[in-house]
Amino acid sequence: MNISSKSEIKRKALIAATIELVNNHGFHATPMSKIAKIAGVSAGTIYLYFENKQDLVNQVYLEVKAAFTSFAFRNYDESMSVEKGFEIIWKNIAEFKLQEVEEAYFLSQCDNTPIVDEPGRQEGLKHLQPLLDLWEKGQEQGIIKQVSPYSLYAFSIYPVAFLMNMQQRGVYQLTPEHIEDAYKMAWHSIKN
């Protein structure tokens, strides 16, 4: 194994440990020493990859956000109709949240707490640009309600996180029929 492979393995271990600890204990109860211990590296090793805890969390957030959006926009083409494009993106997001539970929960934590700084948040927002562009196109065509992208996200995308959490708690099982119903509700919440 070459040095860059070992280096990448350590970095990935630090990322996985950060996700696990933030998900289970929160940002403030996740010291760098514990991240290093879970990752199986020395505490000093973290600083070879990240400046400090905030840099670590920001970078983990951006990497997970990039993986999330790569998954969300697969099979999407901006030449599609607004409705078809939204359906593909929405169902990809639902699939990601149900398959990549730890990463999805980490993103949810980042969205709902101030653990990611504002520059990191703004950088993460850039990953959603194709969805924002689709909504803008839909608004220009009179298909999507003339409300802020934050409202569109809150009413159409964010409920998937709630459903995922209910499934994780064992109080609700998302079947393909439930996913289809949830998609239709999401679409009807934003369309004119």
Side-chain angles (χ1 to χ4, degrees):
M1 184 179 304
N2 64 35
I3 293 174
S4 63
S5 300
K6 287 180 182 179
S7 177
E8 189 59 28
I9 289 169
K10 287 179 184 180
R11 189 173 189 288
K12 286 182 184 214
L14 288 166
I15 289 169
T18 301
I19 291 169
E20 177 187 335
L21 289 169
V22 168
N23 283 353
N24 293 317
H25 304 288
F27 176 71
H28 295 294
T30 301
M32 295 290 264
S33 59
K34 197 166 192 174
I35 292 169
K37 183 177 181 181
I38 297 290
V41 301
S42 69
T45 300
I46 292 177
Y47 299 100
L48 297 173
Y49 304 97
F50 309 100
E51 286 180 37
N52 52 41
K53 186 175 171 183
Q54 188 65 59
D55 181 49
L56 168 64
V57 170
N58 284 346
Q59 286 194 44
V60 171
Y61 169 72
L62 291 173
E63 284 192 31
V64 173
K65 191 71 148 185
F68 165 71
T69 53
S70 175
F71 197 97
F73 299 122
R74 68 192 174 134
N75 304 321
Y76 167 70
D77 184 313
E78 29 180 77
S79 67
M80 294 175 167
S81 72
V82 171
E83 184 174 1
K84 186 62 180 170
F86 180 73
E87 179 179 9
I88 285 172
I89 294 167
W90 190 94
K91 287 180 177 177
N92 285 343
I93 288 171
E95 187 178 343
F96 179 89
K97 289 182 178 282
L98 293 170
Q99 286 182 5
E100 306 298 334
V101 175
E102 292 299 313
E103 289 81 359
Y105 188 65
F106 179 79
L107 287 177
S108 185
Q109 293 258 70
C110 292
D111 288 342
N112 292 307
T113 62
I115 64 175
V116 174
D117 64 18
E118 194 53 33
R121 226 175 260 289
Q122 291 304 313
E123 186 64 30
L125 192 57
K126 291 177 186 175
H127 290 280
L128 291 175
Q129 197 59 52
L131 178 60
L132 301 174
D133 292 344
L134 177 71
W135 283 339
E136 186 178 328
K137 175 179 154 184
Q139 288 175 326
E140 289 168 0
Q141 294 176 3
I143 297 168
I144 301 287
K145 291 180 172 127
Q146 294 292 330
V147 296
S148 86
Y150 294 106
S151 293
L152 294 173
Y153 194 90
F155 284 89
S156 66
I157 305 296
Y158 195 73
V160 177
F162 174 80
L163 293 173
M164 176 200 72
N165 289 336
M166 293 304 101
Q167 180 163 290
Q168 284 304 107
R169 288 180 37 204
V171 297
Y172 184 68
Q173 182 61 41
L174 281 167
T175 66
E177 293 80 19
H178 292 138
I179 300 253
E180 188 61 33
D181 290 343
Y183 162 70
K184 288 176 184 171
M185 293 175 78
W187 173 246
H188 288 288
S189 74
I190 66 168
K191 79 174 186 124
N192 261 334

Short mmCIF file of all heavy atoms in Angstrom, two decimals, residues 135-192:
data_model
loop_
_atom_site.label_atom_id
_atom_site.label_comp_id
_atom_site.label_asym_id
_atom_site.label_seq_id
_atom_site.Cartn_x
_atom_site.Cartn_y
_atom_site.Cartn_z
N TRP A 135 -36.19 25.09 -10.01
CA TRP A 135 -37.30 25.82 -9.40
C TRP A 135 -37.48 27.19 -10.06
O TRP A 135 -38.60 27.62 -10.31
CB TRP A 135 -37.08 25.97 -7.91
CG TRP A 135 -37.37 24.73 -7.13
CD1 TRP A 135 -38.15 23.67 -7.54
CD2 TRP A 135 -36.90 24.40 -5.84
NE1 TRP A 135 -38.19 22.72 -6.55
CE2 TRP A 135 -37.44 23.13 -5.50
CE3 TRP A 135 -36.09 25.03 -4.92
CZ2 TRP A 135 -37.18 22.50 -4.28
CZ3 TRP A 135 -35.84 24.40 -3.71
CH2 TRP A 135 -36.37 23.17 -3.40
N GLU A 136 -36.37 27.86 -10.32
CA GLU A 136 -36.45 29.17 -10.97
C GLU A 136 -37.09 29.03 -12.36
O GLU A 136 -37.95 29.82 -12.74
CB GLU A 136 -35.06 29.80 -11.09
CG GLU A 136 -35.08 31.21 -11.62
CD GLU A 136 -33.70 31.84 -11.67
OE1 GLU A 136 -32.85 31.50 -10.81
OE2 GLU A 136 -33.47 32.67 -12.57
N LYS A 137 -36.68 28.01 -13.11
CA LYS A 137 -37.27 27.74 -14.42
C LYS A 137 -38.77 27.50 -14.27
O LYS A 137 -39.58 28.01 -15.04
CB LYS A 137 -36.57 26.53 -15.04
CG LYS A 137 -37.14 26.04 -16.36
CD LYS A 137 -36.30 24.84 -16.84
CE LYS A 137 -37.05 23.92 -17.73
NZ LYS A 137 -36.24 22.72 -18.09
N GLY A 138 -39.14 26.72 -13.27
CA GLY A 138 -40.55 26.44 -13.02
C GLY A 138 -41.33 27.68 -12.64
O GLY A 138 -42.49 27.85 -13.04
N GLN A 139 -40.70 28.57 -11.90
CA GLN A 139 -41.37 29.83 -11.53
C GLN A 139 -41.55 30.71 -12.77
O GLN A 139 -42.60 31.32 -12.94
CB GLN A 139 -40.58 30.55 -10.44
CG GLN A 139 -40.71 29.84 -9.10
CD GLN A 139 -39.85 30.45 -8.01
OE1 GLN A 139 -38.74 30.96 -8.27
NE2 GLN A 139 -40.33 30.40 -6.78
N GLU A 140 -40.52 30.77 -13.61
CA GLU A 140 -40.61 31.56 -14.84
C GLU A 140 -41.72 31.04 -15.76
O GLU A 140 -42.38 31.81 -16.46
CB GLU A 140 -39.27 31.56 -15.59
CG GLU A 140 -38.20 32.37 -14.91
CD GLU A 140 -36.80 32.14 -15.49
OE1 GLU A 140 -36.65 31.33 -16.44
OE2 GLU A 140 -35.86 32.75 -14.96
N GLN A 141 -41.93 29.72 -15.75
CA GLN A 141 -42.96 29.11 -16.59
C GLN A 141 -44.33 29.09 -15.91
O GLN A 141 -45.30 28.61 -16.50
CB GLN A 141 -42.55 27.68 -16.96
CG GLN A 141 -41.34 27.60 -17.84
CD GLN A 141 -40.91 26.15 -18.12
OE1 GLN A 141 -41.54 25.18 -17.71
NE2 GLN A 141 -39.80 26.02 -18.83
N GLY A 142 -44.41 29.58 -14.67
CA GLY A 142 -45.67 29.59 -13.95
C GLY A 142 -46.08 28.23 -13.39
O GLY A 142 -47.23 28.04 -13.00
N ILE A 143 -45.14 27.30 -13.33
CA ILE A 143 -45.43 25.94 -12.85
C ILE A 143 -45.21 25.83 -11.35
O ILE A 143 -45.93 25.11 -10.67
CB ILE A 143 -44.53 24.92 -13.60
CG1 ILE A 143 -44.84 24.95 -15.10
CG2 ILE A 143 -44.69 23.52 -13.03
CD1 ILE A 143 -43.83 24.20 -15.95
N ILE A 144 -44.22 26.55 -10.84
CA ILE A 144 -43.85 26.50 -9.42
C ILE A 144 -44.30 27.80 -8.75
O ILE A 144 -44.21 28.88 -9.33
CB ILE A 144 -42.31 26.35 -9.27
CG1 ILE A 144 -41.80 25.08 -9.96
CG2 ILE A 144 -41.89 26.38 -7.81
CD1 ILE A 144 -42.11 23.79 -9.28
N LYS A 145 -44.76 27.68 -7.50
CA LYS A 145 -45.22 28.84 -6.73
C LYS A 145 -44.11 29.89 -6.61
O LYS A 145 -42.94 29.54 -6.50
CB LYS A 145 -45.66 28.41 -5.33
CG LYS A 145 -46.93 27.59 -5.35
CD LYS A 145 -47.33 27.18 -3.95
CE LYS A 145 -48.70 26.55 -4.02
NZ LYS A 145 -48.80 25.27 -3.43
N GLN A 146 -44.51 31.14 -6.62
CA GLN A 146 -43.57 32.25 -6.49
C GLN A 146 -43.26 32.51 -5.02
O GLN A 146 -43.72 33.49 -4.42
CB GLN A 146 -44.16 33.52 -7.14
CG GLN A 146 -44.34 33.43 -8.63
CD GLN A 146 -43.01 33.40 -9.38
OE1 GLN A 146 -42.01 33.94 -8.94
NE2 GLN A 146 -43.01 32.72 -10.52
N VAL A 147 -42.50 31.60 -4.43
CA VAL A 147 -42.05 31.74 -3.04
C VAL A 147 -40.55 31.53 -3.01
O VAL A 147 -39.95 31.10 -4.01
CB VAL A 147 -42.78 30.74 -2.10
CG1 VAL A 147 -44.28 31.02 -2.05
CG2 VAL A 147 -42.52 29.30 -2.51
N SER A 148 -39.94 31.80 -1.88
CA SER A 148 -38.49 31.67 -1.79
C SER A 148 -38.06 30.22 -1.92
O SER A 148 -38.82 29.30 -1.60
CB SER A 148 -37.99 32.24 -0.46
OG SER A 148 -38.06 31.25 0.55
N PRO A 149 -36.81 29.99 -2.37
CA PRO A 149 -36.30 28.62 -2.45
C PRO A 149 -36.28 27.94 -1.08
O PRO A 149 -36.41 26.72 -0.99
CB PRO A 149 -34.88 28.77 -2.99
CG PRO A 149 -34.72 30.17 -3.42
CD PRO A 149 -35.86 30.96 -2.88
N TYR A 150 -36.15 28.73 -0.01
CA TYR A 150 -36.18 28.15 1.34
C TYR A 150 -37.54 27.55 1.63
O TYR A 150 -37.64 26.46 2.20
CB TYR A 150 -35.83 29.21 2.39
CG TYR A 150 -34.41 29.70 2.28
CD1 TYR A 150 -34.13 30.97 1.78
CD2 TYR A 150 -33.34 28.90 2.67
CE1 TYR A 150 -32.83 31.42 1.66
CE2 TYR A 150 -32.03 29.34 2.56
CZ TYR A 150 -31.78 30.61 2.05
OH TYR A 150 -30.49 31.04 1.95
N SER A 151 -38.61 28.23 1.22
CA SER A 151 -39.95 27.69 1.41
C SER A 151 -40.16 26.45 0.54
O SER A 151 -40.75 25.46 0.99
CB SER A 151 -41.02 28.74 1.08
OG SER A 151 -40.97 29.78 2.02
N LEU A 152 -39.68 26.51 -0.69
CA LEU A 152 -39.82 25.36 -1.57
C LEU A 152 -39.10 24.15 -0.97
O LEU A 152 -39.64 23.03 -0.96
CB LEU A 152 -39.25 25.67 -2.96
CG LEU A 152 -40.00 26.74 -3.77
CD1 LEU A 152 -39.23 27.08 -5.04
CD2 LEU A 152 -41.42 26.30 -4.08
N TYR A 153 -37.90 24.36 -0.45
CA TYR A 153 -37.14 23.27 0.15
C TYR A 153 -37.84 22.75 1.40
O TYR A 153 -37.97 21.54 1.60
CB TYR A 153 -35.72 23.75 0.50
CG TYR A 153 -34.77 22.62 0.82
CD1 TYR A 153 -34.03 22.02 -0.19
CD2 TYR A 153 -34.62 22.14 2.10
CE1 TYR A 153 -33.15 20.97 0.07
CE2 TYR A 153 -33.75 21.09 2.39
CZ TYR A 153 -33.03 20.52 1.37
OH TYR A 153 -32.17 19.47 1.65
N ALA A 154 -38.31 23.68 2.23
CA ALA A 154 -38.96 23.29 3.49
C ALA A 154 -40.19 22.42 3.26
O ALA A 154 -40.43 21.46 4.00
CB ALA A 154 -39.33 24.53 4.30
N PHE A 155 -40.96 22.74 2.25
CA PHE A 155 -42.21 22.02 2.04
C PHE A 155 -42.10 20.82 1.12
O PHE A 155 -42.96 19.94 1.15
CB PHE A 155 -43.30 22.98 1.54
CG PHE A 155 -43.84 23.83 2.64
CD1 PHE A 155 -43.24 25.05 2.92
CD2 PHE A 155 -44.90 23.41 3.42
CE1 PHE A 155 -43.71 25.84 3.96
CE2 PHE A 155 -45.37 24.19 4.45
CZ PHE A 155 -44.77 25.41 4.74
N SER A 156 -41.04 20.76 0.31
CA SER A 156 -40.96 19.64 -0.63
C SER A 156 -39.83 18.66 -0.33
O SER A 156 -40.01 17.46 -0.51
CB SER A 156 -40.82 20.15 -2.07
OG SER A 156 -39.59 20.81 -2.26
N ILE A 157 -38.71 19.13 0.13
CA ILE A 157 -37.56 18.26 0.35
C ILE A 157 -37.39 17.88 1.82
O ILE A 157 -37.17 16.72 2.16
CB ILE A 157 -36.25 18.92 -0.16
CG1 ILE A 157 -36.37 19.33 -1.62
CG2 ILE A 157 -35.05 18.00 0.08
CD1 ILE A 157 -36.57 18.22 -2.61
N TYR A 158 -37.53 18.85 2.70
CA TYR A 158 -37.27 18.60 4.12
C TYR A 158 -38.14 17.50 4.73
O TYR A 158 -37.66 16.74 5.58
CB TYR A 158 -37.37 19.90 4.92
CG TYR A 158 -36.77 19.74 6.28
CD1 TYR A 158 -35.39 19.66 6.44
CD2 TYR A 158 -37.57 19.58 7.41
CE1 TYR A 158 -34.83 19.47 7.68
CE2 TYR A 158 -37.02 19.39 8.65
CZ TYR A 158 -35.65 19.33 8.78
OH TYR A 158 -35.09 19.11 10.01
N PRO A 159 -39.40 17.34 4.32
CA PRO A 159 -40.21 16.26 4.91
C PRO A 159 -39.61 14.87 4.73
O PRO A 159 -39.89 13.97 5.53
CB PRO A 159 -41.55 16.38 4.19
CG PRO A 159 -41.65 17.84 3.86
CD PRO A 159 -40.23 18.22 3.49
N VAL A 160 -38.76 14.68 3.73
CA VAL A 160 -38.12 13.37 3.54
C VAL A 160 -37.27 13.04 4.77
O VAL A 160 -37.22 11.89 5.22
CB VAL A 160 -37.26 13.34 2.26
CG1 VAL A 160 -36.54 12.01 2.10
CG2 VAL A 160 -38.10 13.63 1.04
N ALA A 161 -36.60 14.04 5.34
CA ALA A 161 -35.77 13.81 6.53
C ALA A 161 -36.65 13.36 7.70
O ALA A 161 -36.27 12.47 8.47
CB ALA A 161 -35.00 15.08 6.89
N PHE A 162 -37.82 13.96 7.84
CA PHE A 162 -38.74 13.57 8.91
C PHE A 162 -39.16 12.10 8.73
O PHE A 162 -39.13 11.32 9.68
CB PHE A 162 -39.97 14.47 8.92
CG PHE A 162 -41.01 14.03 9.90
CD1 PHE A 162 -40.87 14.33 11.25
CD2 PHE A 162 -42.12 13.31 9.49
CE1 PHE A 162 -41.83 13.91 12.17
CE2 PHE A 162 -43.07 12.88 10.39
CZ PHE A 162 -42.93 13.17 11.74
N LEU A 163 -39.54 11.73 7.51
CA LEU A 163 -39.96 10.35 7.25
C LEU A 163 -38.81 9.37 7.51
O LEU A 163 -39.03 8.30 8.08
CB LEU A 163 -40.47 10.21 5.82
CG LEU A 163 -41.76 10.97 5.50
CD1 LEU A 163 -42.07 10.89 4.02
CD2 LEU A 163 -42.92 10.45 6.33
N MET A 164 -37.60 9.76 7.11
CA MET A 164 -36.44 8.92 7.37
C MET A 164 -36.24 8.73 8.87
O MET A 164 -35.99 7.62 9.34
CB MET A 164 -35.19 9.55 6.76
CG MET A 164 -33.90 8.79 7.07
SD MET A 164 -32.42 9.79 6.88
CE MET A 164 -32.53 10.87 8.28
N ASN A 165 -36.38 9.81 9.64
CA ASN A 165 -36.21 9.71 11.09
C ASN A 165 -37.27 8.81 11.70
O ASN A 165 -36.98 8.03 12.62
CB ASN A 165 -36.26 11.10 11.73
CG ASN A 165 -35.02 11.91 11.43
OD1 ASN A 165 -33.96 11.37 11.14
ND2 ASN A 165 -35.15 13.22 11.48
N MET A 166 -38.50 8.89 11.22
CA MET A 166 -39.56 8.03 11.75
C MET A 166 -39.28 6.56 11.42
O MET A 166 -39.53 5.68 12.24
CB MET A 166 -40.93 8.43 11.18
CG MET A 166 -41.43 9.80 11.65
SD MET A 166 -41.51 9.98 13.46
CE MET A 166 -40.03 10.91 13.81
N GLN A 167 -38.74 6.31 10.25
CA GLN A 167 -38.38 4.94 9.90
C GLN A 167 -37.24 4.46 10.80
O GLN A 167 -37.27 3.33 11.28
CB GLN A 167 -37.99 4.82 8.43
CG GLN A 167 -37.60 3.40 8.06
CD GLN A 167 -37.60 3.15 6.57
OE1 GLN A 167 -38.65 3.12 5.97
NE2 GLN A 167 -36.42 2.97 6.01
N GLN A 168 -36.25 5.30 11.03
CA GLN A 168 -35.12 4.93 11.89
C GLN A 168 -35.57 4.62 13.31
O GLN A 168 -35.01 3.76 13.96
CB GLN A 168 -34.06 6.03 11.91
CG GLN A 168 -33.22 6.10 10.67
CD GLN A 168 -32.54 4.78 10.38
OE1 GLN A 168 -32.91 4.06 9.47
NE2 GLN A 168 -31.55 4.43 11.17
N ARG A 169 -36.59 5.33 13.77
CA ARG A 169 -37.11 5.09 15.12
C ARG A 169 -38.01 3.87 15.17
O ARG A 169 -38.42 3.43 16.24
CB ARG A 169 -37.88 6.31 15.60
CG ARG A 169 -36.97 7.48 15.93
CD ARG A 169 -37.67 8.71 16.42
NE ARG A 169 -38.81 8.45 17.27
CZ ARG A 169 -39.82 9.30 17.42
NH1 ARG A 169 -39.81 10.45 16.77
NH2 ARG A 169 -40.82 9.02 18.21
N GLY A 170 -38.34 3.31 14.00
CA GLY A 170 -39.16 2.11 13.96
C GLY A 170 -40.65 2.35 14.09
O GLY A 170 -41.40 1.41 14.33
N VAL A 171 -41.10 3.59 13.92
CA VAL A 171 -42.53 3.88 14.06
C VAL A 171 -43.25 3.96 12.72
O VAL A 171 -44.47 4.07 12.68
CB VAL A 171 -42.79 5.18 14.86
CG1 VAL A 171 -42.27 5.04 16.29
CG2 VAL A 171 -42.17 6.38 14.18
N TYR A 172 -42.48 3.89 11.64
CA TYR A 172 -43.08 4.02 10.31
C TYR A 172 -42.18 3.29 9.32
O TYR A 172 -40.96 3.40 9.40
CB TYR A 172 -43.18 5.50 9.94
CG TYR A 172 -43.87 5.81 8.63
CD1 TYR A 172 -45.22 5.59 8.47
CD2 TYR A 172 -43.15 6.36 7.57
CE1 TYR A 172 -45.85 5.90 7.27
CE2 TYR A 172 -43.78 6.68 6.37
CZ TYR A 172 -45.13 6.43 6.23
OH TYR A 172 -45.76 6.74 5.06
N GLN A 173 -42.78 2.55 8.43
CA GLN A 173 -42.00 1.84 7.42
C GLN A 173 -42.30 2.44 6.05
O GLN A 173 -43.45 2.45 5.62
CB GLN A 173 -42.36 0.34 7.43
CG GLN A 173 -41.56 -0.48 6.44
CD GLN A 173 -40.06 -0.45 6.68
OE1 GLN A 173 -39.61 -0.52 7.81
NE2 GLN A 173 -39.28 -0.35 5.64
N LEU A 174 -41.29 2.96 5.40
CA LEU A 174 -41.47 3.57 4.08
C LEU A 174 -41.47 2.50 3.00
O LEU A 174 -40.44 1.92 2.70
CB LEU A 174 -40.35 4.58 3.80
CG LEU A 174 -40.52 5.93 4.46
CD1 LEU A 174 -39.24 6.72 4.38
CD2 LEU A 174 -41.66 6.70 3.83
N THR A 175 -42.62 2.25 2.45
CA THR A 175 -42.76 1.31 1.34
C THR A 175 -42.65 2.10 0.04
O THR A 175 -42.74 3.34 0.06
CB THR A 175 -44.14 0.63 1.39
OG1 THR A 175 -45.15 1.63 1.16
CG2 THR A 175 -44.37 -0.08 2.73
N PRO A 176 -42.49 1.44 -1.08
CA PRO A 176 -42.49 2.17 -2.36
C PRO A 176 -43.77 3.00 -2.56
O PRO A 176 -43.72 4.10 -3.10
CB PRO A 176 -42.37 1.05 -3.40
CG PRO A 176 -41.63 -0.03 -2.69
CD PRO A 176 -42.14 0.02 -1.27
N GLU A 177 -44.90 2.50 -2.06
CA GLU A 177 -46.15 3.24 -2.17
C GLU A 177 -46.10 4.52 -1.33
O GLU A 177 -46.58 5.58 -1.76
CB GLU A 177 -47.35 2.37 -1.73
CG GLU A 177 -47.63 1.20 -2.64
CD GLU A 177 -46.70 0.00 -2.41
OE1 GLU A 177 -46.07 -0.12 -1.34
OE2 GLU A 177 -46.58 -0.81 -3.35
N HIS A 178 -45.52 4.42 -0.12
CA HIS A 178 -45.39 5.60 0.74
C HIS A 178 -44.48 6.65 0.09
O HIS A 178 -44.74 7.84 0.17
CB HIS A 178 -44.84 5.23 2.11
CG HIS A 178 -45.77 4.41 2.93
ND1 HIS A 178 -45.34 3.34 3.68
CD2 HIS A 178 -47.10 4.48 3.12
CE1 HIS A 178 -46.36 2.80 4.29
NE2 HIS A 178 -47.44 3.47 3.97
N ILE A 179 -43.41 6.18 -0.54
CA ILE A 179 -42.49 7.09 -1.21
C ILE A 179 -43.22 7.81 -2.35
O ILE A 179 -43.08 9.02 -2.51
CB ILE A 179 -41.26 6.33 -1.77
CG1 ILE A 179 -40.54 5.65 -0.63
CG2 ILE A 179 -40.38 7.23 -2.61
CD1 ILE A 179 -39.25 6.22 -0.20
N GLU A 180 -43.99 7.06 -3.12
CA GLU A 180 -44.75 7.67 -4.22
C GLU A 180 -45.76 8.68 -3.69
O GLU A 180 -45.89 9.78 -4.23
CB GLU A 180 -45.45 6.58 -5.05
CG GLU A 180 -46.08 7.08 -6.32
CD GLU A 180 -45.08 7.70 -7.31
OE1 GLU A 180 -43.92 7.27 -7.38
OE2 GLU A 180 -45.49 8.65 -8.01
N ASP A 181 -46.46 8.33 -2.61
CA ASP A 181 -47.42 9.26 -2.01
C ASP A 181 -46.70 10.52 -1.51
O ASP A 181 -47.20 11.64 -1.70
CB ASP A 181 -48.16 8.60 -0.84
CG ASP A 181 -49.14 7.52 -1.28
OD1 ASP A 181 -49.51 7.50 -2.48
OD2 ASP A 181 -49.53 6.71 -0.42
N ALA A 182 -45.56 10.33 -0.87
CA ALA A 182 -44.80 11.47 -0.34
C ALA A 182 -44.32 12.36 -1.48
O ALA A 182 -44.35 13.59 -1.37
CB ALA A 182 -43.62 10.99 0.51
N TYR A 183 -43.88 11.73 -2.58
CA TYR A 183 -43.46 12.54 -3.73
C TYR A 183 -44.63 13.38 -4.25
O TYR A 183 -44.48 14.58 -4.51
CB TYR A 183 -42.90 11.67 -4.88
CG TYR A 183 -42.92 12.46 -6.15
CD1 TYR A 183 -42.03 13.53 -6.33
CD2 TYR A 183 -43.89 12.25 -7.13
CE1 TYR A 183 -42.10 14.33 -7.45
CE2 TYR A 183 -43.96 13.05 -8.25
CZ TYR A 183 -43.07 14.09 -8.40
OH TYR A 183 -43.16 14.90 -9.50
N LYS A 184 -45.78 12.77 -4.42
CA LYS A 184 -46.95 13.50 -4.93
C LYS A 184 -47.31 14.66 -4.01
O LYS A 184 -47.64 15.76 -4.48
CB LYS A 184 -48.14 12.55 -5.10
CG LYS A 184 -47.97 11.59 -6.27
CD LYS A 184 -49.13 10.60 -6.33
CE LYS A 184 -48.90 9.58 -7.43
NZ LYS A 184 -49.88 8.49 -7.39
N MET A 185 -47.24 14.43 -2.71
CA MET A 185 -47.52 15.50 -1.75
C MET A 185 -46.49 16.63 -1.88
O MET A 185 -46.84 17.80 -1.82
CB MET A 185 -47.58 14.95 -0.34
CG MET A 185 -48.77 14.01 -0.13
SD MET A 185 -48.76 13.24 1.48
CE MET A 185 -49.35 14.60 2.47
N ALA A 186 -45.23 16.25 -2.06
CA ALA A 186 -44.17 17.25 -2.22
C ALA A 186 -44.41 18.07 -3.47
O ALA A 186 -44.33 19.31 -3.45
CB ALA A 186 -42.80 16.57 -2.28
N TRP A 187 -44.72 17.41 -4.57
CA TRP A 187 -44.96 18.12 -5.83
C TRP A 187 -46.16 19.06 -5.70
O TRP A 187 -46.11 20.21 -6.09
CB TRP A 187 -45.14 17.12 -6.98
CG TRP A 187 -45.55 17.79 -8.25
CD1 TRP A 187 -46.74 17.65 -8.92
CD2 TRP A 187 -44.79 18.73 -9.02
NE1 TRP A 187 -46.76 18.44 -10.04
CE2 TRP A 187 -45.57 19.12 -10.14
CE3 TRP A 187 -43.52 19.30 -8.87
CZ2 TRP A 187 -45.14 20.03 -11.09
CZ3 TRP A 187 -43.09 20.21 -9.83
CH2 TRP A 187 -43.89 20.57 -10.93
N HIS A 188 -47.24 18.57 -5.11
CA HIS A 188 -48.44 19.39 -4.97
C HIS A 188 -48.23 20.56 -4.02
O HIS A 188 -48.93 21.57 -4.12
CB HIS A 188 -49.64 18.54 -4.56
CG HIS A 188 -50.13 17.67 -5.68
ND1 HIS A 188 -50.80 18.16 -6.78
CD2 HIS A 188 -50.00 16.34 -5.91
CE1 HIS A 188 -51.08 17.18 -7.62
NE2 HIS A 188 -50.59 16.05 -7.11
N SER A 189 -47.26 20.43 -3.11
CA SER A 189 -47.01 21.54 -2.18
C SER A 189 -46.31 22.73 -2.84
O SER A 189 -46.39 23.85 -2.34
CB SER A 189 -46.18 21.05 -0.98
OG SER A 189 -44.84 20.84 -1.36
N ILE A 190 -45.63 22.50 -3.99
CA ILE A 190 -44.89 23.59 -4.62
C ILE A 190 -45.42 24.01 -5.97
O ILE A 190 -45.09 25.08 -6.47
CB ILE A 190 -43.38 23.27 -4.72
CG1 ILE A 190 -43.13 22.11 -5.68
CG2 ILE A 190 -42.78 23.02 -3.35
CD1 ILE A 190 -41.66 21.91 -6.05
N LYS A 191 -46.23 23.18 -6.59
CA LYS A 191 -46.72 23.53 -7.95
C LYS A 191 -47.87 24.51 -7.85
O LYS A 191 -48.63 24.53 -6.89
CB LYS A 191 -47.11 22.30 -8.73
CG LYS A 191 -48.46 21.73 -8.40
CD LYS A 191 -48.81 20.59 -9.35
CE LYS A 191 -50.24 20.18 -9.07
NZ LYS A 191 -51.08 20.23 -10.22
N ASN A 192 -47.98 25.33 -8.89
CA ASN A 192 -49.09 26.30 -8.96
C ASN A 192 -50.37 25.58 -9.26
O ASN A 192 -50.45 24.59 -9.89
CB ASN A 192 -48.82 27.33 -10.07
CG ASN A 192 -48.27 28.60 -9.47
OD1 ASN A 192 -48.51 28.91 -8.31
ND2 ASN A 192 -47.52 29.32 -10.27
#
